Short mmCIF file of all heavy atoms in Angstrom, two decimals:
data_model
loop_
_atom_site.label_atom_id
_atom_site.label_comp_id
_atom_site.label_asym_id
_atom_site.label_seq_id
_atom_site.Cartn_x
_atom_site.Cartn_y
_atom_site.Cartn_z
N HIS A 391 -4.36 16.97 21.35
CA HIS A 391 -3.92 17.84 22.45
C HIS A 391 -2.41 17.86 22.58
O HIS A 391 -1.82 18.87 22.97
CB HIS A 391 -4.57 17.38 23.75
CG HIS A 391 -4.11 18.13 24.96
ND1 HIS A 391 -4.50 19.43 25.22
CD2 HIS A 391 -3.26 17.77 25.97
CE1 HIS A 391 -3.91 19.84 26.34
NE2 HIS A 391 -3.17 18.84 26.82
N TRP A 392 -1.76 16.73 22.25
CA TRP A 392 -0.30 16.63 22.36
C TRP A 392 0.40 16.89 21.03
O TRP A 392 1.58 16.55 20.87
CB TRP A 392 0.08 15.26 22.91
CG TRP A 392 -0.31 15.10 24.34
CD1 TRP A 392 0.39 15.49 25.44
CD2 TRP A 392 -1.52 14.49 24.83
NE1 TRP A 392 -0.29 15.18 26.58
CE2 TRP A 392 -1.47 14.56 26.25
CE3 TRP A 392 -2.63 13.91 24.24
CZ2 TRP A 392 -2.49 14.08 27.06
CZ3 TRP A 392 -3.65 13.43 25.04
CH2 TRP A 392 -3.58 13.51 26.43
N GLY A 393 -0.29 17.47 20.10
CA GLY A 393 0.32 17.85 18.83
C GLY A 393 0.42 16.69 17.86
O GLY A 393 -0.19 15.62 18.05
N PRO A 394 1.22 16.85 16.78
CA PRO A 394 1.40 15.78 15.80
C PRO A 394 1.89 14.47 16.41
O PRO A 394 1.51 13.39 15.95
CB PRO A 394 2.43 16.36 14.83
CG PRO A 394 2.24 17.84 14.93
CD PRO A 394 1.90 18.09 16.36
N SER A 395 2.70 14.55 17.46
CA SER A 395 3.19 13.32 18.11
C SER A 395 2.05 12.53 18.74
O SER A 395 2.01 11.30 18.69
CB SER A 395 4.24 13.66 19.17
OG SER A 395 5.37 14.26 18.59
N GLY A 396 1.09 13.25 19.34
CA GLY A 396 -0.06 12.57 19.95
C GLY A 396 -0.93 11.90 18.90
O GLY A 396 -1.47 10.80 19.13
N VAL A 397 -1.07 12.52 17.71
CA VAL A 397 -1.85 11.92 16.63
C VAL A 397 -1.15 10.67 16.11
O VAL A 397 -1.80 9.67 15.79
CB VAL A 397 -2.07 12.95 15.51
CG1 VAL A 397 -2.84 12.31 14.35
CG2 VAL A 397 -2.84 14.16 16.03
N ALA A 398 0.18 10.72 16.01
CA ALA A 398 0.94 9.54 15.56
C ALA A 398 0.75 8.36 16.51
O ALA A 398 0.55 7.22 16.08
CB ALA A 398 2.42 9.90 15.44
N LEU A 399 0.79 8.63 17.82
CA LEU A 399 0.58 7.57 18.80
C LEU A 399 -0.84 7.02 18.72
O LEU A 399 -1.06 5.82 18.91
CB LEU A 399 0.87 8.10 20.20
CG LEU A 399 0.81 7.08 21.34
CD1 LEU A 399 1.83 5.96 21.11
CD2 LEU A 399 1.06 7.76 22.69
N ALA A 400 -1.79 7.88 18.38
CA ALA A 400 -3.18 7.43 18.23
C ALA A 400 -3.31 6.39 17.13
O ALA A 400 -4.10 5.44 17.24
CB ALA A 400 -4.09 8.63 17.95
N TRP A 401 -2.56 6.56 16.03
CA TRP A 401 -2.57 5.57 14.95
C TRP A 401 -2.14 4.19 15.47
O TRP A 401 -2.79 3.18 15.19
CB TRP A 401 -1.61 6.00 13.85
CG TRP A 401 -2.21 6.75 12.73
CD1 TRP A 401 -1.94 8.03 12.33
CD2 TRP A 401 -3.21 6.27 11.81
NE1 TRP A 401 -2.70 8.38 11.25
CE2 TRP A 401 -3.48 7.32 10.90
CE3 TRP A 401 -3.90 5.08 11.68
CZ2 TRP A 401 -4.42 7.20 9.88
CZ3 TRP A 401 -4.83 4.95 10.65
CH2 TRP A 401 -5.07 5.99 9.78
N THR A 402 -1.03 4.16 16.19
CA THR A 402 -0.51 2.89 16.69
C THR A 402 -1.52 2.20 17.61
O THR A 402 -1.77 0.99 17.49
CB THR A 402 0.82 3.12 17.43
OG1 THR A 402 1.77 3.68 16.52
CG2 THR A 402 1.37 1.83 17.99
N VAL A 403 -2.11 2.96 18.51
CA VAL A 403 -3.10 2.40 19.44
C VAL A 403 -4.31 1.86 18.67
O VAL A 403 -4.84 0.78 18.97
CB VAL A 403 -3.53 3.46 20.46
CG1 VAL A 403 -4.67 2.94 21.34
CG2 VAL A 403 -2.35 3.87 21.34
N ALA A 404 -4.75 2.59 17.64
CA ALA A 404 -5.94 2.18 16.88
C ALA A 404 -5.74 0.84 16.20
O ALA A 404 -6.64 -0.02 16.21
CB ALA A 404 -6.29 3.25 15.85
#
Side-chain angles (χ1 to χ4, degrees):
H391 175 73
W392 291 275
S395 297
V397 177
L399 185 60
W401 265 118
T402 299
V403 174

